[in-house]
């Protein structure tokens, strides 16, 4: 019987041919004379790692190799990325690299060289946890001699609090998550979404829950997605289809789509799955009765209290409930021969198929009205749906590389028009294979050579329309990445520890029992108690002194987050700025805040954040509040640099804090000379903060 090692060599020699551009293969021989053609990935803890042509990485004891190959393994430089986290992951990453390299080769292009450790550590921190690494985090990675350190830091970051924070920012922009909508606070929705990310709930299950959630917003945060557009079924469906299926159907609300295969009737048939769902928020007081509510409101002494009580009633009335009748009808101006104006519309799922797959996808129809939303959700999130997995895979690819394989990410009607259709189809298949585990999918992307190559910094002639991914594109930090990096410079990794957790406290304050068996006096007492508690959540934007307001907001956030001992850390306040992660601040922030000035979405339109530069941004970097806070003596970056023994070490410390790299020889000499001439470390921090290098993801 063959030994395990014999099987390893035999299987590797018969493996399918997959080779990435530029990889070096050599023939390895074991102590019994058996041969293996593989790329050397490194030696660690007495084990040698060899990657064969199908991408799989084998680990075997170094002493099992021939004497000559043992010496070679001790002296060779590892090819590519070094040792991966596990062999199966390496194989899956290699398949993606093969498809990327195939597209490049077809176009006569070469991939970029691998990024340096300094470039990689800053990029991977920004992409996974949304902030730059601290000086200590950068040094820990750079000085790590392990050939598996890239895979290890990817795993470390994916399992950190920062991962939840940064992914929430992305989804908040994508799904228009705001503190306020429908004249209520959607804190329970925010907390629900954050908990889903923290618990790594698969994407299909998360979206299914959003589509089928029912009950009150105060009780079930998942209702927030549909209640965000309460009373606007058609608008919500249009956003749902473009966000989750890459189907740009907004035109079909009013007429047949002029450029895509969508008719107005098809749109209404899809909307009919929500035709029996009430989201308008009128049922919250049904149990008690409007007559009884009017009596209670009139019993309140002052008009202002009456208005607050009405607001409280509306907040409690935000609820999703399925009725027994589908009431959706064609519009009064419907003009096509397949229906009449005002005609009732029966729910019907669309049929589509991938151009590479002749089998159309339709799903299973239901006849039960109460099952309509569930049926729609099953159809949309099914692994057999050719657009659901592809859309989120394309979105996450863009998040890692700066551009989608198919742009825009909200329009996948023609996947074959992608810059690399085989790559797009493969990414969708990988999402299904990984059972919609977003963390594992991103782990896969970040472990590819394509991601770990140097960024492309030259101007793209066609605006990136045919970019084939020789590496990620050089891109400006998002507003949230820039803000969270500023906070990191001031307080370090502790910025990850504070969590607002406002949903539970908000629901506890706002809930009023309007059931029919509640006495008028009991309801009135609840209303008065709730109105008193509303003050900690009151006011859209603070007025008066910014520093005082920031301290008040800090206390409010502590109160709303629970008892002080339950919090990991309270956010510090400097110069009127609450230094918490962007995900824990108001959604969105006030208009003149750093986040909004740098392009944070206003959360009115999906995917509306901006990374475009502007003169106000330059002025804010030069003279704004964030710049002043970073340069203060109690800023961690400045304080750490000041503690160094000499000018050279001080300059090196600041460069590591801002750029995750040591200064070049000329940079060090110039900075030391400037310090000798009277420049302070605060001045040098100002210079580094205002460089192009700081605000870009390299």
């Amino acid at each position: 019987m063959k030994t395990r090692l014999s099987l390893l060599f035999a299987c590797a020699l018969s493996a399918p041919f997959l080779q990435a551009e530029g990889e070096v293969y050599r023939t390895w021989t074991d102590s019994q004379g058996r041969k293996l053609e593989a790329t050397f990935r490194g030696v660690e803890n007495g084990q040698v790692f060899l990657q064969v042509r199908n991408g799989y990485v084998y680990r075997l004891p170094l002493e099992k190799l021939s004497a000559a190959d043992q010496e070679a393994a001790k002296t060779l430089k590892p090819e590519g990325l070094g040792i991966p986290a596990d062999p199966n992951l390496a194989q899956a990453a290699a398949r993606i690299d093969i498809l990327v390299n195939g597209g490049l080769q077809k176009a006569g292009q070469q991939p970029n060289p691998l990024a340096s450790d300094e470039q990689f550590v800053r990029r991977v921190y920004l992409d996974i946890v949304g902030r730059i690494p601290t000086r200590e985090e950068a040094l820990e990675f750079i000085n790590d001699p392990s050939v598996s350190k890239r895979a290890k830091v990817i795993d470390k970051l994916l399992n950190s609090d920062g991962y939840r924070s940064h992914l929430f920012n992305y989804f908040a922009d994508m799904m228009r998550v705001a503190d306020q909508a429908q004249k209520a606070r959607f804190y329970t929705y925010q907390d629900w979404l954050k908990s889903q990310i923290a618990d790594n709930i698969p994407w299909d299950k998360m979206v299914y829950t959003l589509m089928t959630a029912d009950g009150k917003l105060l009780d079930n945060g998942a209702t927030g997605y549909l209640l965000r557009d309460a009373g606007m079924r058609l608008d919500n469906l249009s956003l749902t289809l473009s966000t989750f299926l890459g189907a740009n159907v907004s035109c079909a609300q009013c007429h047949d789509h002029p450029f895509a295969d969508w008719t107005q009737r098809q749109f209404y048939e899809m909307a009919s799955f929500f035709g029996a769902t009430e989201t308008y928020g009128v049922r919250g007081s049904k149990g008690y009765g409007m007559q009884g509510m009017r009596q209670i409101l009139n019993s309140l002494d002052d008009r202002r209290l009456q208005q607050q009580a009405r607001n409280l009633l509306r907040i409690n009335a935000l609820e999703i409930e399925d009725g027994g009748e589908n009431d959706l009808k064609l519009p009064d101006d419907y003009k096509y021969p397949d229906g009449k104006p005002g005609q009732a519309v029966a729910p019907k799922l669309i049929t589509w198929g991938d151009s590479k797959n002749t089998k159309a996808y339709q799903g299973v129809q239901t006849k039960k009205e109460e099952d309509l939303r569930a049926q729609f959700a099953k159809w949309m999130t099914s692994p057999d749906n050719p657009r659901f997995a592809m859309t989120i895979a394309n979105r996450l690819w863009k998040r890692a590389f700066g551009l989608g394989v198919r742009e825009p990410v909200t329009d996948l009607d023609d996947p074959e028009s992608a810059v690399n259709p085989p790559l797009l189809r493969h990414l969708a298949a990988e999402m299904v294979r990984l059972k919609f585990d977003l963390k594992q999918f991103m782990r896969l992307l970040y472990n590819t050579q394509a991601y770990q190559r140097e960024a492309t910094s030259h101007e793209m002639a066609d605006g990136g329309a045919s970019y084939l991914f020789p590496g990620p594109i050089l891109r400006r930090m998002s507003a949230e990445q820039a803000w969270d990096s500023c906070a990191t410079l001031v307080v370090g990794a502790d910025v990850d520890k504070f969590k607002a957790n406002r949903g539970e406290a908000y629901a506890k304050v706002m809930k009023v029992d309007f059931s029919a068996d509640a006495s008028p006096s009991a309801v009135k007492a609840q209303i008065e108690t709730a109105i008193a508690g509303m003050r900690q959540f009151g006011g859209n934007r603070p007025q008066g002194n910014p520093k005082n307001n920031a301290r008040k907001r800090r206390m409010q956030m502590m109160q709303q987050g629970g008892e002080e001992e339950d919090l990991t850390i309270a956010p510090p306040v400097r110069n009127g700025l609450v230094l918490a992660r962007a995900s824990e601040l108001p959604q969105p922030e006030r208009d003149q805040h750093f986040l909004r000035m740098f392009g944070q979405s206003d959360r009115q339109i999906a995917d509306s954040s901006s990374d475009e530069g502007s003169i106000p941004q330059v002025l804010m970097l030069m003279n704004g509040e964030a710049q002043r806070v970073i340069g203060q003596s109690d800023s961690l970056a400045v304080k750490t640099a000041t503690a160094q023994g000499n000018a050279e070490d001080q300059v090196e410390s600041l460069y590591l804090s801002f750029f995750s790299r040591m200064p070049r020889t000329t940079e060090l000499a110039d900075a030391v000379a400037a310090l000798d001439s009277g420049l302070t470390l605060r001045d040098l921090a100002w210079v580094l903060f205002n460089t192009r290098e700081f605000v870009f993801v390299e």
Side-chain angles (χ1 to χ4, degrees):
M1 182 179 290
K2 292 184 177 180
T3 65
R4 182 176 180 277
L5 192 60
S6 299
L7 288 171
L8 184 158
F9 276 69
C11 292
L13 289 172
S14 62
F17 181 86
L18 291 172
Q19 180 173 352
E21 176 72 21
E23 289 199 315
V24 177
Y25 287 85
R26 72 187 296 274
T27 300
W28 297 81
T29 306
D30 74 351
S31 56
Q32 298 182 34
R34 292 167 298 200
K35 307 293 184 181
L36 174 69
E37 190 175 43
T39 293
F40 176 62
R41 288 298 186 214
V43 174
E44 193 164 71
N45 300 324
Q47 304 285 313
V48 62
F49 293 78
L50 302 174
Q51 187 168 24
V52 295
R53 290 186 182 274
N54 74 348
Y56 193 83
V57 174
Y58 289 97
R59 173 174 57 190
L60 60 152
L62 182 61
E63 69 266 15
K64 295 294 184 181
L65 293 179
S66 66
D69 281 349
Q70 287 184 43
E71 289 302 314
K74 293 175 183 177
T75 57
L76 283 175
K77 179 182 177 182
E79 290 290 336
L81 309 180
I83 298 172
D86 67 66
N88 292 314
L89 175 67
Q91 186 174 30
R95 290 181 181 277
I96 292 176
D97 285 324
I98 297 303
L99 290 168
V100 171
N101 290 331
L104 290 167
Q105 291 171 6
K106 187 176 180 180
Q109 300 178 21
Q110 294 292 322
N112 297 341
L114 284 175
S116 67
D117 281 349
E118 291 81 2
Q119 291 170 330
F120 174 78
V121 69
R122 194 172 192 265
R123 178 196 300 169
V124 80
Y125 264 81
L126 282 165
D127 283 348
I128 298 180
V129 298
R131 63 170 177 85
I132 58 174
T134 63
R135 172 183 178 273
E136 288 69 28
E137 288 168 335
L139 283 173
E140 179 185 5
F141 177 82
I142 293 167
N143 295 331
D144 185 355
S146 170
V147 290
S148 61
K149 63 183 182 180
R150 293 197 178 194
K152 288 177 181 176
V153 78
I154 290 169
D155 286 350
K156 170 188 168 183
L157 296 178
L158 286 172
N159 291 309
S160 69
D161 284 343
Y163 164 80
R164 184 219 64 158
S165 175
H166 189 43
L167 189 56
F168 170 81
N169 291 333
Y170 178 75
F171 286 153
D173 181 24
M174 173 177 158
M175 294 188 279
R176 301 172 302 134
V177 175
D179 282 358
Q180 294 192 82
Q182 308 296 334
K183 298 183 180 179
R185 304 275 178 160
F186 275 53
Y187 296 144
T188 57
Y189 179 30
Q190 293 177 27
D191 284 1
W192 177 86
L193 183 55
K194 289 174 182 176
S195 71
Q196 296 285 292
I197 297 169
D199 294 341
N200 197 34
I201 302 301
W203 180 242
D204 57 337
K205 291 180 172 57
M206 193 189 307
V207 176
Y208 181 89
T209 302
L210 289 175
M211 293 296 106
T212 59
D214 55 22
K216 293 179 180 291
L217 177 65
L218 294 177
D219 295 324
N220 182 4
T223 61
Y225 178 77
L226 293 179
L227 289 174
R228 177 71 172 80
D229 299 310
M232 297 185 290
R233 294 169 179 163
L234 301 185
D235 290 335
N236 183 266
L237 176 67
S238 178
L239 286 165
T240 295
L241 294 173
S242 63
T243 299
F244 301 118
L245 294 179
N248 185 8
V249 299
S250 57
C251 290
Q253 287 183 240
C254 302
H255 50 75
D256 289 355
H257 201 299
F259 307 116
D261 190 19
W262 277 89
T263 68
Q264 189 179 13
R265 184 177 182 88
Q266 283 178 320
F267 182 87
Y268 272 78
E269 288 171 341
M270 295 289 282
S272 189
F273 282 94
F274 298 86
T277 302
E278 175 58 64
T279 61
Y280 203 76
V282 298
R283 305 179 65 88
S285 61
K286 183 177 180 181
Y288 195 76
M290 292 306 298
Q291 183 66 29
M293 280 307 306
R294 276 195 291 269
Q295 292 176 2
I296 293 173
L297 291 173
N298 291 335
S299 70
L300 296 172
D301 299 331
D302 132 353
R303 198 170 283 179
R304 183 168 157 279
L305 289 178
Q306 291 179 4
Q307 182 57 48
Q308 289 176 322
R310 289 189 182 92
N311 292 338
L312 194 63
L313 172 63
R314 182 175 55 252
I315 291 167
N316 278 266
L318 281 172
E319 180 180 6
I320 297 177
E321 186 173 353
D322 288 326
E325 182 181 351
N326 170 22
D327 60 8
L328 197 74
K329 296 178 174 61
L330 290 174
D332 292 338
D333 61 351
Y334 192 76
K335 59 185 179 181
Y336 298 104
D338 56 0
K340 297 179 180 180
Q343 177 183 332
V345 183
K348 184 179 179 182
L349 296 168
I350 67 162
T351 300
W352 64 31
D354 197 326
S355 59
K356 293 292 183 180
N357 180 8
T358 57
K359 182 180 178 181
Y361 174 70
Q362 181 171 346
V364 179
Q365 200 71 41
T366 181
K367 295 181 180 179
K368 295 181 180 179
E369 295 286 353
E370 63 269 21
D371 292 336
L372 288 180
R373 270 198 297 146
Q375 182 57 37
F376 176 88
K378 289 176 184 177
W379 169 83
M380 186 172 78
T381 63
S382 169
D384 295 326
N385 189 325
R387 295 292 178 268
F388 183 67
M390 185 176 286
T391 298
I392 188 62
N394 191 44
R395 279 181 170 275
L396 293 181
W397 180 274
K398 179 174 184 175
R399 192 165 175 262
F401 286 85
L403 282 172
V405 185
R406 171 73 169 93
E407 288 283 352
V409 295
T410 54
D411 187 355
L412 282 177
D413 280 342
D414 182 14
E416 292 306 302
S417 64
V419 295
N420 189 331
L423 174 62
L424 183 59
R425 291 194 297 272
H426 180 72
L427 293 175
E430 286 294 87
M431 181 63 73
V432 173
R433 180 183 69 83
L434 294 170
K435 298 181 179 179
F436 295 93
D437 186 325
L438 301 186
K439 186 178 290 188
Q440 292 306 317
F441 184 81
M442 286 185 278
R443 180 174 178 245
L444 174 58
L445 296 189
Y446 297 134
N447 273 281
T448 61
Q449 293 199 45
Y451 174 78
Q452 297 190 28
R453 291 169 180 155
E454 288 183 0
T456 299
S457 57
H458 61 76
E459 183 106 12
M460 287 171 276
D462 56 0
S466 59
Y467 187 69
L468 295 171
F469 307 104
I473 64 170
L474 181 70
R475 57 199 186 277
R476 205 208 71 185
M477 289 182 188
S478 68
E480 291 83 2
Q481 285 173 323
W483 168 259
D484 289 349
S485 295
C486 290
T488 300
L489 288 169
V490 180
V491 301
D494 281 351
V495 72
D496 289 330
K497 293 182 178 179
F498 175 72
K499 306 293 185 298
N501 298 328
R502 295 170 290 187
E504 184 177 350
Y506 179 73
K508 184 177 180 180
V509 167
M510 297 299 175
K511 258 191 219 178
V512 175
D513 180 13
F514 290 114
S515 60
D517 56 352
S519 67
S521 59
V523 175
K524 180 180 177 182
Q526 289 181 68
I527 289 174
E528 290 173 340
T529 300
I531 288 173
M534 286 171 65
R535 294 190 182 95
Q536 63 178 294
F537 300 98
N540 292 349
R541 295 295 177 211
Q543 304 295 322
N545 187 294
K547 293 184 180 181
N548 292 337
N549 287 330
R551 293 188 181 95
K552 290 177 183 177
R553 285 173 61 199
R554 177 177 181 267
M555 294 307 298
Q556 289 172 2
M557 294 166 86
M558 288 178 64
Q559 292 167 2
Q560 296 161 17
E563 299 297 328
E564 185 170 357
E565 59 265 27
D566 293 335
L567 294 176
T568 308
I569 190 172
V573 176
R574 308 280 174 85
N575 279 28
L577 294 176
V578 178
L579 295 177
R581 292 289 294 252
S583 62
E584 310 307 316
L585 294 176
Q587 306 293 320
E589 258 291 358
R590 64 184 187 275
D591 286 345
Q592 299 306 311
H593 190 275
F594 181 100
L595 281 161
R596 295 299 304 282
M597 297 289 285
F598 266 75
Q600 184 188 41
S601 164
D602 63 5
R603 307 292 166 78
Q604 298 302 309
I605 300 174
D607 300 303
S608 60
S609 62
S610 172
D611 59 4
E612 295 295 322
S614 68
I615 296 299
Q617 289 174 12
V618 175
L619 295 176
M620 179 164 280
L621 289 172
M622 294 175 66
N623 304 306
E625 296 167 323
Q627 179 273 321
R628 290 193 291 273
V629 168
I630 289 170
Q632 289 176 347
S633 59
D634 59 351
S635 162
L636 180 63
V638 173
K639 186 164 57 176
T640 303
T642 303
Q644 305 306 308
N646 55 58
E648 287 82 1
D649 291 342
Q650 290 176 339
V651 172
E652 289 177 352
S653 180
L654 279 182
Y655 267 79
L656 283 165
S657 293
F658 280 84
F659 305 141
S660 305
R661 66 171 177 85
M662 300 290 278
R664 302 179 184 93
T665 303
T666 54
E667 291 171 332
L668 180 60
D670 291 344
V672 169
L675 290 176
D676 290 341
S677 301
L679 193 76
T680 67
L681 289 177
R682 177 172 183 168
D683 296 328
L684 182 55
W686 181 93
V687 172
L688 299 183
F689 184 56
N690 279 275
T691 59
R692 184 174 181 267
E693 183 176 354
F694 177 74
V695 296
F696 275 80
V697 184
E698 186 175 358

